[in-house]
Amino acid sequence: MIEKASLIFMCVLLVGASSLAQTPAEEPQGAEDKVRFWAERLKSDDQATLLKAVEKLSRLTYKGTHAPIVNPHLTRLVELLKHDKTGVKRSVISVLINLKAKEYTQQIGGLLKDEDDEVKKAAIGALEYFRATDYTGEIARFLQHRDFGLRGTAVNALGSFQAKEHAAEITKLLADENFWVRGLAASALAKLGKEHAKDIASLLKSKENDKINAIHALRSLKAKEFAGEIAGLLKDEDHAVRSAALWALRDFGAKERAGEIAQLLDDKNDAVRKEVESMLRAWKISPEEARKAKPEGNPAGEEKKEAVAAP
């Protein structure tokens, strides 16, 4: 019995010693020392240590800081793109983006065939960042994916690539079942050119909050021809929609809409009221003038330029 107890005790000691051997030393305090500490642990066979190392490096290398320390470990990092853990692959992609390691886009592109959707999203994001337009066709295949996150990530990348050859597919996503995807589709179409403004404007009549995304997209296109439709949203029940409409009209320089805008001087939302006051000041139109403006938006005392009257 004593021998059995001694054997169990020895086993406990051995397990404890093994655990201590796998536990990494205490993380140092200095930023550069931390980077060195975790970069060295990329060689670890312990999965928990390895995962923690790549996660730490993804944060410590943000905006390319400490690149000279991590660059010697790039070969090992790229090898880890084949790791079986999603977290490891995603963190490695993050480090490669931080280090602007564009030379590894081919290895990242290979992850578009990964089994995990989260890895595919991270890969698309990296390819977009690196402007890897060679992958436009492969990314476009995800526009019809069952996962809305992949559809959104893909349409965002194609917009950044200005992939006009996929305009028709992107336009279809204005009717996607997911609000986020519809918004990204509107933004992507705006990047493809003003010829898509009419399609984007269709969202201004949406019952859901697509209106804000449509307003922002039309605003980026400087599509003043839709100022009338946007001005109509100054009466929307959502103050965020009213604010978005004001910003667009401000950017359009739509002074002729001062009368409609002035109606919001008494808005129940403080931010909306302040925006109206700011706009009128910038346009050098007094609140009194604006309040007296005609319903169609002409400042009071001014007439539309009509055809010259007959003598």
Side-chain angles (χ1 to χ4, degrees), residues 189-263:
L189 287 172
K191 291 172 185 173
L192 299 189
K194 206 168 183 178
E195 62 269 26
H196 301 288
K198 187 175 180 180
D199 290 319
I200 296 168
S202 66
L203 292 180
L204 293 174
K205 299 175 183 177
S206 172
K207 292 181 180 179
E208 297 191 40
N209 220 2
D210 295 307
K211 291 175 271 194
I212 293 176
N213 291 322
I215 291 169
H216 288 323
L218 293 171
R219 179 183 168 198
S220 70
L221 283 172
K222 298 180 172 57
K224 190 177 179 179
E225 62 269 30
F226 293 98
E229 287 91 328
I230 292 173
L233 295 175
L234 294 173
K235 297 178 181 179
D236 196 272
E237 61 183 15
D238 187 338
H239 71 85
V241 173
R242 299 195 299 276
S243 290
L246 285 170
W247 298 334
L249 294 173
R250 179 196 61 198
D251 288 1
F252 293 161
K255 295 182 183 181
E256 70 279 3
R257 299 282 169 185
E260 294 155 279
I261 291 166
Q263 292 175 23

Side-chain angles (χ1 to χ4, degrees), residues 2-24:
I2 294 173
E3 288 180 4
K4 186 176 182 181
S6 299
L7 182 60
I8 292 171
F9 179 69
M10 288 299 295
C11 287
V12 170
L13 284 178
L14 287 170
V15 170
S18 175
S19 298
L20 286 172
Q22 290 180 8
T23 302

Side-chain angles (χ1 to χ4, degrees), residues 112 123-140 153-166 170 188 191-192:
L112 293 176
I124 293 171
L127 294 170
E128 177 190 355
Y129 179 81
F130 290 130
R131 305 292 302 164
T133 55
D134 289 350
Y135 290 91
T136 297
E138 289 185 56
I139 292 171
T153 306
V155 76
N156 194 61
L158 295 177
S160 295
F161 292 165
Q162 295 185 313
K164 294 191 175 187
E165 66 274 25
H166 295 288
I170 294 171
K191 291 172 185 173
L192 299 189

